[in-house]
């Protein structure tokens, strides 16, 4: 099968398609509590969050966590998140945007740093799996960058997708870095983990709604 002539979107999951800010900040504060750190607000989270995640913790602790601290915080974070994600859902308008992109003859996929075994049933349970030609979650340790995962993701789609006509839509500066690393473009969305100011430092278009993100993806992939 040759490459498609249409554009392709690689969607980020957490904080982009899946509106889970409350669960993420709650899980972060649960992880902080086990080593005696004060809780933070969503605004503080957006101002300080970065990848790799231990560097985010360093901004709050004044030092990198030890390996034992990281292991404990990571375990607490994921346990809390798993318990509270059930109250979260898709971002406003996401279903209509997915349907519209598919109806226009374009393709789309998901690449997330959320664990692969947890991601797949979540996507299926929300009834949107049929819109994606591939869904990849993280394999291996948590806390790192998405860049090499993006290269593998687009490599697995090489027969169907042209990176030059691919746009990554995400809520973190690391999404733009990963897109650039894989030869794709990026649009960053302010509704998730980063403040507008921090996203604008990535040097790619920054938008406030997913509707604007998809419109920008149309333009970039034209």
């Amino acid at each position: 099968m040759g490459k498609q002539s249409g554009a392709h979107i690689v969607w980020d999951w957490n904080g982009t398609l899946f509106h889970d800010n409350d669960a993420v900040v709650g899980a972060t504060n649960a992880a902080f509590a086990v080593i005696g750190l004060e809780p933070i607000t969503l605004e503080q989270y957006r101002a300080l969050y970065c990848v790799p995640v231990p560097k985010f913790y360093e901004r709050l602790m004044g030092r990198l966590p030890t390996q034992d601290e990281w292991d404990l915080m990571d375990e607490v974070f994921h346990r809390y998140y798993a318990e509270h994600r059930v109250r979260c859902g898709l971002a406003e308008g996401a279903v209509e945007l997915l349907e519209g992109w598919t109806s226009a003859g374009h393709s789309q996929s998901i690449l997330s740093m959320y664990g692969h075994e947890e991601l797949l049933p979540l996507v299926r349970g929300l009834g949107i799996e049929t819109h994606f030609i591939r869904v990849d979650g993280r394999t291996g340790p948590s806390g790192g960058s998405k860049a090499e995962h993006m290269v593998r993701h687009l490599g697995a789609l090489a027969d169907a997708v042209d990176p030059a006509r691919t746009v990554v839509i995400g809520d973190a500066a690391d999404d733009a870095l990963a897109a650039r690393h894989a030869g794709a473009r990026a649009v960053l969305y302010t509704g998730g983990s980063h403040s507008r100011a921090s996203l604008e430092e990535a040097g790619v278009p920054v938008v406030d709604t997913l509707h604007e993100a998809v419109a920008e993806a149309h333009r970039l992939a034209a």
Side-chain angles (χ1 to χ4, degrees):
M1 173 171 120
K3 285 187 171 64
Q4 297 187 61
S5 59
H8 181 79
I9 290 176
V10 178
W11 291 95
D12 174 56
W13 182 247
N14 302 97
T16 304
L17 279 179
F18 193 57
H19 187 65
D20 60 352
N21 293 339
D22 289 345
V24 168
V25 174
T28 299
N29 284 331
F32 287 171
V34 297
I35 64 166
L37 288 178
E38 293 296 316
I40 62 172
T41 65
L42 175 60
E43 289 71 26
Q44 290 172 311
Y45 182 92
R46 284 175 164 160
L48 295 170
Y49 181 74
C50 64
V51 172
V53 177
K55 295 291 290 183
F56 168 51
Y57 291 160
E58 182 182 25
R59 291 181 173 185
L60 292 149
M61 299 171 66
R63 61 174 176 82
L64 283 170
T66 66
Q67 188 62 52
D68 286 346
E69 286 172 334
W70 165 255
D71 290 342
L72 176 60
M73 293 168 80
D74 194 48
E75 189 274 330
V76 170
F77 178 96
H78 286 99
R79 185 174 69 239
Y80 181 102
Y81 181 83
E83 292 170 357
H84 290 79
R85 73 180 188 196
V86 295
R87 294 198 291 270
C88 303
L90 293 171
E92 183 178 356
V95 172
E96 292 78 12
L97 290 169
L98 295 174
E99 290 173 347
W101 189 261
T102 299
S103 296
H106 306 312
S107 60
Q108 50 199 327
S109 60
I110 292 174
L111 175 62
S112 174
M113 295 300 282
Y114 190 45
H116 186 72
E117 297 305 318
E118 292 77 29
L119 176 65
L120 283 179
L122 188 51
V123 173
R124 287 173 185 150
L126 289 165
I128 58 173
E129 184 182 16
T130 57
H131 292 297
F132 306 107
I133 61 174
R134 188 175 182 90
V135 176
D136 283 333
R138 172 186 48 78
T139 56
S142 63
S145 172
K146 188 180 276 187
E148 293 303 326
H149 296 269
M150 185 67 71
V151 171
R152 287 194 295 271
H153 182 75
L154 291 183
L157 296 172
D159 289 338
V161 170
D162 181 359
R165 299 206 64 200
T166 295
V167 179
V168 176
I169 297 178
D171 69 319
D174 189 56
D175 290 302
L177 175 67
R180 190 175 301 120
H181 191 68
R185 311 289 286 277
V187 178
L188 298 180
Y189 162 63
T190 63
S193 63
H194 278 39
S195 67
R196 172 174 276 275
S198 62
L199 292 178
E200 287 176 341
E201 294 176 3
V204 303
V206 177
V207 299
D208 296 318
T209 68
L210 292 185
H211 179 82
E212 293 174 286
V214 171
E216 191 66 17
H218 268 292
R219 186 186 70 81
L220 292 173

